[in-house]
């Protein structure tokens, strides 16, 4: 049972969530989990000007995902930062190359889930995940969110990401806030939840 965690992360926040989601998925017996990233579309000099080169260097060892890998997975957890309430351009461009998978029905009946990040508390996390679901539904995937059995999303003790739609992180207006313990716990829970559902779907 193969679980693919495929993400884009400019400053490393979604990368850390994706790592936690992969960790959660690995807790499920028989789960073979692969972490990979979508291709970068911005030139190196642009990334340097945006101050993202350090975070990009940290991810250089993470393999770049291919469309073929999506088709071979039994479940896919997608990770993207929000861009004005939608997925980032890098993820959109990658998904726009999956037409052949759609023609083949390669993702029909497989579990699909989304994690995200934004700078601010109300920066479009939920709309990013919900709008992402449209693409997954066109591929015939079974949408998996973050159920309220993860009680961390109901905390009133701190500002925190995570909603029934999926785990998320609030990065801060300057991007300096790293994922909290609660946000990482949400991603782990979601990863395990997706893998359990995928195991049932493939039984």
């Amino acid at each position: 049972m193969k679980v693919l965690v495929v993400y884009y992360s400019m400053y490393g926040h979604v990368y850390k969530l994706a790592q936690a989601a992969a960790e959660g998925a690995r807790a499920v017996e028989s789960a073979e989990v692969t972490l990979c990233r979508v291709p970068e579309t911005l030139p190196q000099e642009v990334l340097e000007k945006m101050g993202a080169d350090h975070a990009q260097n940290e991810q250089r060892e993470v393999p770049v995902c291919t469309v073929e890998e999506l088709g071979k997975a039994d479940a896919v957890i997608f990770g993207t930062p929000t861009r004005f309430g939608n997925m980032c351009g890098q993820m959109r461009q990658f998904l726009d190359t999956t037409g052949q998978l759609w023609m083949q029905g390669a993702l029909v009946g497989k579990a699909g889930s989304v994690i995200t990040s934004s700078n601010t508390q109300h920066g479009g996390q939920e709309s990013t995940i919900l709008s992402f679901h449209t693409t997954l539904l066109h591929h015939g995937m079974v949408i998996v969110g973050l159920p309220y059995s993860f009680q961390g999303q109901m905390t009133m003790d701190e500002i925190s990401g995570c909603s029934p739609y999926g785990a998320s992180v609030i990065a801060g207006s300057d991007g300096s806030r790293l994922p909290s313990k609660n946000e990482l716990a949400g991603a782990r829970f979601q990863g395990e939840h997706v893998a359990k559902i995928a195991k049932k779907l493939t039984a």
Side-chain angles (χ1 to χ4, degrees):
M1 191 263 295
K2 296 181 179 180
V3 179
L4 184 66
V5 182
V6 55
Y7 75 95
Y8 177 78
S9 184
M10 180 171 285
Y11 295 105
H13 299 82
V14 176
Y15 174 43
K16 294 185 186 305
L17 277 189
Q19 287 177 309
E23 181 183 338
R26 290 189 183 103
V28 177
E29 185 181 358
S30 79
E32 178 186 322
V33 183
T34 302
L35 178 69
C36 57
R37 55 193 171 94
V38 300
E40 181 57 79
T41 59
L42 294 175
Q44 182 63 31
E45 56 268 24
V46 173
L47 292 170
E48 291 173 1
K49 288 179 180 178
M50 297 177 73
D53 49 319
H54 177 69
Q56 295 293 306
N57 287 334
E58 287 183 337
Q59 302 171 56
R60 291 210 185 281
E61 299 303 314
V62 180
V64 174
C65 189
T66 65
V67 170
E68 290 73 25
E69 286 178 279
L70 287 181
K72 294 176 182 177
D74 298 301
V76 185
I77 301 172
F78 296 90
T80 176
T82 182
R83 293 290 186 265
F84 306 108
N86 289 285
M87 70 178 77
C88 67
Q90 290 87 345
M91 182 63 72
R92 180 72 268 161
Q93 184 161 324
F94 177 71
L95 291 174
D96 283 347
T97 66
T98 59
Q100 194 65 31
L101 294 182
W102 177 80
M103 292 280 289
Q104 298 166 355
L107 299 178
V108 173
K110 297 181 178 183
S113 196
V114 186
I115 56 179
T116 190
S117 73
S118 66
N119 289 106
T120 60
Q121 187 175 3
H122 304 291
Q125 296 182 4
E126 293 183 358
S127 65
T128 295
I129 294 175
L130 287 171
S131 60
F132 203 123
H133 286 170
T134 304
T135 299
L136 305 190
L137 289 167
H138 274 265
H139 272 292
M141 300 189 82
V142 178
I143 302 297
V144 183
L146 179 64
Y148 276 112
S149 44
F150 172 66
Q151 297 187 356
Q153 65 179 284
M154 295 183 283
T155 184
M156 295 291 288
D157 299 329
E158 61 180 90
I159 293 176
S160 179
C162 297
S163 73
Y165 311 112
S168 58
V169 59
I170 301 165
S173 58
D174 61 355
S176 62
R177 183 183 180 273
L178 296 176
S180 68
K181 289 182 180 180
N182 189 57
E183 291 164 340
L184 291 172
R188 284 189 205 95
F189 189 104
Q190 187 171 341
E192 184 174 357
H193 182 57
V194 169
K196 285 178 178 177
I197 290 176
K199 188 174 183 178
K200 292 178 181 179
L201 290 172
T202 57

